[in-house]
Amino acid sequence: MTPGERPRTLRRIAPALGLFLLSPLVAEYLLGNVPSSEIWGLVILAPMYGGGAIIIREVARRAGRGWPTIILLGCAYGVLEAALIDQTLFNPAPLFEGDVSRDSTLIPALGFSAVNAVGFTAGHAIWSIGVPIALAEILVPRRATTPWLGVPGLIVTCVVFVLGSLVLFGGIHDDSGFMASPPQRAGAAAVVALLVVAAFLVGRRSRPVRGGRSRKPWLVGVAAFVASAAFVARPEDWWGTAAGIALIAVMAVVISRWSRGDGWGAAHRLALAGGALLTQACIGFLLLLLHGTATAANLIGQVILVLGALALFLVARRTVRGTSGAGGTAEVG
């Protein structure tokens, strides 16, 4: 590769590199699940989180698919991580001291908590996959729905994802000594496969834009924040499980209808991502307190992360405003 080709290559893959880091930063650090003092953990987390997000985005866009496919693949990723890689879904150990979420909705025959199953699956689909991909695509409007990597780059990403997942799996297993049973792992693998199949069955036919103007972006953002905040704040019992499923179903229908309105575009997708991002920023401080990691250094680091998320949102908002025809057409398939 000549010196002149290197900058062109870097520019071409820059969105993928950004997504590689953005996914774990939003999913774990902004959430407060991993404190900023352990920022070195990106070396371990990025191959699995970022690699997974890139693979999902590239596969969906190469297949000409839109957000329904991306979100369902995100659900598959959520089950893969929580049930097969870190196996948190099946591990009887509490997530943190005093956590009783598993016991409150435990399904003994299956060995996992219903509230955790809903939370892990939807949480990864939204914050590990959906929000980072939406932000990354909005920042490169001309390439928002086109592949960012060639076939060799995608193969390398798959290798990095597998190796990163194996490293994380090995480290967690060595620390906890826990291993899900063969039937649990087989059942989880079957669910992952079903979600992947479903991801490519939905949206096979493009739906026409319905009449009427789309909702204002600020209203979409408020709805996203309220719904995502209600989702994470729901009770960790059977009522909370039912409420979480109902919220997901209602928002799926609402967003599907809104996205087919005349004028739906990047500004609305940014509003959805921004509302969910704000929820993540708010609960990050709470999780630091619950995990006992709310030291002065970590709180300062959390403030820096929140400010960074705000800066990224403002840059994306400026990009949307500076792009001609930002409203665009509905992307629903």
Side-chain angles (χ1 to χ4, degrees):
M1 182 181 294
T2 65
E5 291 174 330
R6 292 192 187 98
R8 288 197 295 271
T9 301
L10 287 175
R11 283 195 297 271
R12 180 169 55 83
I13 67 173
L17 293 176
L19 180 57
F20 186 74
L21 296 175
L22 187 58
S23 177
L25 284 171
V26 171
E28 295 291 350
Y29 290 92
L30 188 63
L31 174 64
N33 201 38
V34 179
S36 57
S37 59
E38 298 179 13
I39 195 67
W40 55 268
L42 275 176
V43 176
I44 299 173
L45 295 176
M48 183 182 69
Y49 280 92
I54 292 171
I55 292 168
I56 287 172
R57 194 255 168 208
E58 290 296 296
V59 169
R61 294 311 188 188
R62 283 176 176 273
R65 299 309 180 89
W67 280 99
T69 296
I70 290 173
I71 293 300
L72 280 172
L73 289 177
C75 290
Y77 171 89
V79 176
L80 177 67
E81 180 181 330
L84 295 174
I85 299 177
D86 65 33
Q87 300 190 4
T88 308
L89 181 63
F90 298 120
N91 196 331
L95 297 176
F96 52 87
E97 187 177 351
D99 175 46
V100 295
S101 61
R102 187 177 190 275
D103 296 335
S104 60
T105 59
L106 179 65
I107 305 174
L110 300 177
F112 65 79
S113 158
V115 72
N116 284 348
V118 173
F120 292 156
T121 304
H124 282 303
I126 296 168
W127 287 285
S128 301
I129 305 299
V131 170
I133 289 177
L135 291 172
E137 288 189 341
I138 287 167
L139 290 171
V140 286
R142 294 183 180 179
R143 303 175 61 195
T145 58
T146 60
W148 293 340
L149 300 176
V151 173
L154 185 56
I155 292 173
V156 169
T157 303
C158 290
V159 172
V160 169
F161 171 73
V162 171
L163 292 177
S165 299
L166 289 174
V167 168
L168 191 63
F169 168 80
I172 291 176
H173 177 64
D174 290 343
D175 288 343
S176 67
F178 174 80
M179 177 69 74
S181 68
Q184 286 175 326
R185 283 176 279 157
V191 171
V192 171
L194 287 173
L195 286 169
V196 171
V197 171
F200 289 97
L201 290 178
V202 300
R204 297 180 69 177
R205 296 179 181 178
S206 59
R207 289 174 289 174
V209 176
R210 63 179 179 83
R213 293 289 299 172
S214 294
R215 298 299 189 273
K216 296 291 186 182
W218 69 265
L219 179 60
V220 174
V222 169
F225 172 69
V226 171
S228 58
F231 182 82
V232 299
R234 73 197 190 284
E236 295 183 331
D237 54 22
W238 284 106
W239 287 107
T241 303
I245 295 172
L247 268 171
I248 293 169
V250 169
M251 287 303 293
V253 172
V254 168
I255 293 171
S256 177
R257 287 181 60 84
W258 284 358
S259 66
R260 286 184 286 136
D262 184 29
W264 179 276
H268 299 86
R269 291 190 288 275
L270 176 60
L272 282 173
L277 194 67
L278 179 58
T279 295
Q280 198 86 327
C282 290
I283 64 175
F285 293 97
L286 177 60
L287 279 189
L288 287 176
L289 291 171
L290 289 175
H291 291 170
T293 54
T295 64
N298 284 336
L299 289 173
I300 292 172
Q302 193 67 19
V303 170
I304 293 172
L305 284 170
V306 171
L307 292 176
L310 175 61
L312 183 64
F313 176 82
L314 292 176
V315 171
R317 184 166 175 262
R318 183 176 180 180
T319 300
V320 169
R321 287 186 167 184
T323 303
S324 60
T329 57
E331 183 195 341
V332 296

